[in-house]
């Protein structure tokens, strides 16, 4: 859904749930389940498309640079994660790293004034740090559980490949977050709630967050 149709939220001011997550921890699954349960909008890859529209560039360019450390600094600091750096095109259909981040920030701040939603990643907790009704969550899990989830969705066929993918992606996300914010990715102080998703079934994780929202007065 992309409007506040839930009876529990329709008469209240908009609120936002931001979800940071380790790769394979189920953070995206939790975010989508929360949005569905609350009847509010959900932004993940959709955020890139909408932000690209706002910036007037090709959405594919946003996807190539999604939650990646700024390109120009990769060369400046010999930044390497054991992979070949992506070559990004330039020209009329491209945008700088700062411009990309600004487009995402502008879109989120604009929508946050209009409706409630869940947003996954993209340092959204920092972008919306001045929003009075924003709940920031970080989802993590033991590596073994992350590996099982990664393999279960066929992102990798072998456990060692799944673990390498998780570590590499977490490194990307941490460097992106730490560069664009004055906080530390995954540090409990940066969030309202941190959840080990392996402790409960996903439906129970959803209920746990909903209970917190009720105590904060965001939903009935």
């Amino acid at each position: 859904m992309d409007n506040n149709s839930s009876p529990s939220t329709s008469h209240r001011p908009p609120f936002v749930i931001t979800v940071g997550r380790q790769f394979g921890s189920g953070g995206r699954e939790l975010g989508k389940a929360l949005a569905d349960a609350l009847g509010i909008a959900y932004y993940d890859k959709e955020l890139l498309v909408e932000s690209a529209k706002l910036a007037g560039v090709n959405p594919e360019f946003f996807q190539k640079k999604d939650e990646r450390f700024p390109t120009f600094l990769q060369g400046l600091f010999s930044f390497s994660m054991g992979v070949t750096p992506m070559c990004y095109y330039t020209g009329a259909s491209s945008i700088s790293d700062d411009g990309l981040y600004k487009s995402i920030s502008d879109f989120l701040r604009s929508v946050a004034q209009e409706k409630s939603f869940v947003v996954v990643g993209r340092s959204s907790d920092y972008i919306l740090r001045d929003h009075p009704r924003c709940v920031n969550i970080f989802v993590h899990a033991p590596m073994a559980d992350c590996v099982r989830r990664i393999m279960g969705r066929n992102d990798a066929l072998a456990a060692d490949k799944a673990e390498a993918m998780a570590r590499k992606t977490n490194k990307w996300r941490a460097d992106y977050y730490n560069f664009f914010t004055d906080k530390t990715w995954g540090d409990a102080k940066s969030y309202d709630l941190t959840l080990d998703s392996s402790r409960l079934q996903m439906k129970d994780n959803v209920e746990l967050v909903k209970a917190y929202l009720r105590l904060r007065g965001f939903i009935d």
Side-chain angles (χ1 to χ4, degrees), residues 30 33-34 37 201-211:
L30 175 61
L34 280 168
Q201 294 185 30
M202 193 57 68
K203 63 181 180 64
D204 295 322
N205 284 321
V206 169
E207 290 304 315
L208 179 62
V209 176
K210 286 174 64 178

Side-chain angles (χ1 to χ4, degrees), residues 133-188:
R133 291 168 61 83
C134 185
V135 173
N136 303 313
I137 301 172
F138 188 83
V139 183
H140 59 97
M143 181 58 74
D145 289 273
C146 293
V147 165
R148 280 194 289 271
R149 182 174 276 108
I150 292 166
M151 293 176 65
R153 64 195 189 200
N154 294 321
D155 284 347
L157 300 180
D160 59 335
K161 299 293 185 183
E163 181 171 345
M165 181 181 294
R167 294 189 185 281
K168 180 177 69 176
T169 305
N170 289 340
K171 183 71 165 61
W172 276 339
R173 290 175 177 173
D175 284 313
Y176 174 92
Y177 184 94
N178 296 344
F179 176 78
F180 280 111
T181 79
D182 59 3
K183 302 195 294 182
T184 302
W185 186 80
D187 187 331

Side-chain angles (χ1 to χ4, degrees), residues 3-45:
N3 54 59
N4 293 347
S5 59
S6 170
S8 64
T9 63
S10 59
H11 64 288
R12 295 175 181 267
F15 66 89
V16 179
I17 301 172
T18 73
V19 182
R21 76 284 184 222
Q22 290 181 335
F23 189 73
S25 67
R28 178 178 287 113
E29 181 184 349
L30 175 61
K32 187 65 170 65
L34 280 168
D36 289 343
L38 296 168
I40 60 178
Y42 171 78
Y43 292 110
D44 183 10
K45 297 299 183 184

Side-chain angles (χ1 to χ4, degrees), residues 28-176:
R28 178 178 287 113
E29 181 184 349
L30 175 61
K32 187 65 170 65
L34 280 168
D36 289 343
L38 296 168
I40 60 178
Y42 171 78
Y43 292 110
D44 183 10
K45 297 299 183 184
E46 301 87 350
L47 172 63
L48 303 179
V49 174
E50 296 300 326
S51 301
K53 290 179 182 176
L54 183 67
V57 301
N58 189 330
E60 291 183 3
F61 182 74
F62 270 53
Q63 293 170 6
K64 288 180 180 180
K65 307 186 85 173
D66 186 23
E67 294 187 287
R68 297 293 191 269
F69 196 70
T71 314
F72 70 93
L73 288 177
Q74 289 184 1
L76 182 62
F77 295 118
S78 298
F79 181 74
S80 174
M81 294 171 290
V83 296
T84 302
M86 299 176 69
C87 296
Y88 303 118
Y89 61 83
T90 58
S93 58
S94 69
I95 189 171
S96 68
D97 295 284
D98 285 344
L100 183 153
Y101 190 79
K102 184 178 185 302
S103 294
I104 292 176
S105 300
D106 289 347
F107 175 77
L108 283 177
R109 292 187 185 116
S110 175
V111 176
Q113 296 178 16
E114 303 170 0
K115 64 182 181 182
S116 298
F117 60 89
V118 177
V119 57
V120 175
R122 287 89 193 180
S123 70
S124 49
D125 60 302
Y126 185 77
I127 292 170
L128 298 173
R129 62 193 179 279
D130 295 324
H131 193 293
R133 291 168 61 83
C134 185
V135 173
N136 303 313
I137 301 172
F138 188 83
V139 183
H140 59 97
M143 181 58 74
D145 289 273
C146 293
V147 165
R148 280 194 289 271
R149 182 174 276 108
I150 292 166
M151 293 176 65
R153 64 195 189 200
N154 294 321
D155 284 347
L157 300 180
D160 59 335
K161 299 293 185 183
E163 181 171 345
M165 181 181 294
R167 294 189 185 281
K168 180 177 69 176
T169 305
N170 289 340
K171 183 71 165 61
W172 276 339
R173 290 175 177 173
D175 284 313
Y176 174 92

